[in-house]
Amino acid sequence: MLPDPQRFLAVSGRRIARAEGAAQVVRELSLSTVPDLADGVFVYLAEQRQDPDGPVRLLLDGLPAELGGLMGGAPPAAAPVPPGGVLAGVLRCGRARGRGQDDVEEALRELLGSAPRLPQGNRVLLAPLRAPDAVVGLAVFLRRMDREDFVADDIALADALSAQAALGVSEDTAAPQARPAAPRAPDEDRRPAPWRRSRSS
């Protein structure tokens, strides 16, 4: 439990909100939470970000060096998200959840397979990056074995910061493409618009 969670949330939230571009948002999420909230963070971003029902595949967005002592192997570079799987359900719920829950254990197996060695106890958090209209990724927060488990207040902080990160990622990667302007007739600009005509006409 952090000594001043409200101040931590305000400072970290500002750092994430000021980041420009998905890569910088992910970097700020990690820098602002390690080591105060977690000992390591890694983030998967959704390959398809326009689907409100959830992504089809998650892509690892780099792997911070501090995770070397926390895991026995690197997480996979990409992870499919079967629509009917437990991981898809965790993503849809849109809230950070601790490892102590059975469905989180299964979601971690779907995401990471059996290779990585994760900290025991409730020292792993899954936090969906859920923007208002779509799931844009997933953050995984880890604590070392010599540190206390995540408690409810820690989970709430991870949830709030992941939601802030989701907004930044969504703005960078899920913005609709601008459509080209329709061609105009050569004399279209010279014709008066109906609302510009005088009342006498």
Side-chain angles (χ1 to χ4, degrees):
M1 174 66 187
L2 296 173
D4 191 349
Q6 291 304 316
R7 184 177 184 280
F8 172 80
L9 180 58
V11 172
S12 300
R14 276 197 302 271
R15 287 184 62 170
I16 295 167
R18 289 175 182 161
E20 295 184 4
Q24 186 66 23
V25 168
V26 170
R27 182 171 181 272
E28 286 299 334
L29 178 63
S30 178
L31 289 175
S32 63
T33 55
V34 175
D36 294 328
L37 180 63
D39 294 307
V41 181
F42 59 96
V43 176
Y44 281 90
L45 296 181
E47 184 177 49
Q48 295 184 3
R49 301 179 177 90
Q50 299 297 327
D51 182 1
D53 293 328
V56 174
R57 195 163 72 130
L58 296 171
L59 305 177
L60 185 65
D61 190 83
L63 187 63
E66 70 268 9
L67 291 177
L70 290 173
M71 300 175 67
V81 184
V86 177
L87 179 59
V90 169
L91 289 172
R92 280 194 300 269
C93 88
R95 302 298 302 271
R97 304 171 80 178
R99 186 178 182 180
Q101 302 177 39
D102 291 342
D103 55 347
V104 173
E105 290 287 344
E106 182 58 35
L108 282 165
R109 277 193 288 273
E110 289 182 16
L111 177 70
L112 304 175
S114 58
R117 182 185 68 247
L118 295 174
Q120 296 301 307
N122 199 14
R123 293 181 179 87
V124 181
L125 291 181
L126 291 184
L129 304 185
R130 187 168 184 85
D133 57 349
V135 176
V136 297
L138 175 71
V140 181
F141 297 85
L142 306 173
R143 280 186 175 172
R144 298 183 186 279
M145 287 301 298
D146 58 357
R147 192 169 175 182
E148 68 277 5
D149 286 5
F150 289 109
V151 296
D153 286 344
D154 299 323
I155 296 173
L157 287 174
D159 192 27
L161 293 175
S162 298
Q164 181 69 58
L167 291 175
V169 171
S170 179
E171 287 172 4
D172 180 45
T173 58
Q177 298 293 322
R179 281 186 274 180
R184 291 180 163 195
D187 60 342
E188 185 177 339
D189 288 335
R190 291 194 293 270
R191 281 189 230 129
W195 61 84
R196 290 185 188 158
R197 291 181 183 153
S198 66
R199 293 182 182 174
S200 60
S201 61

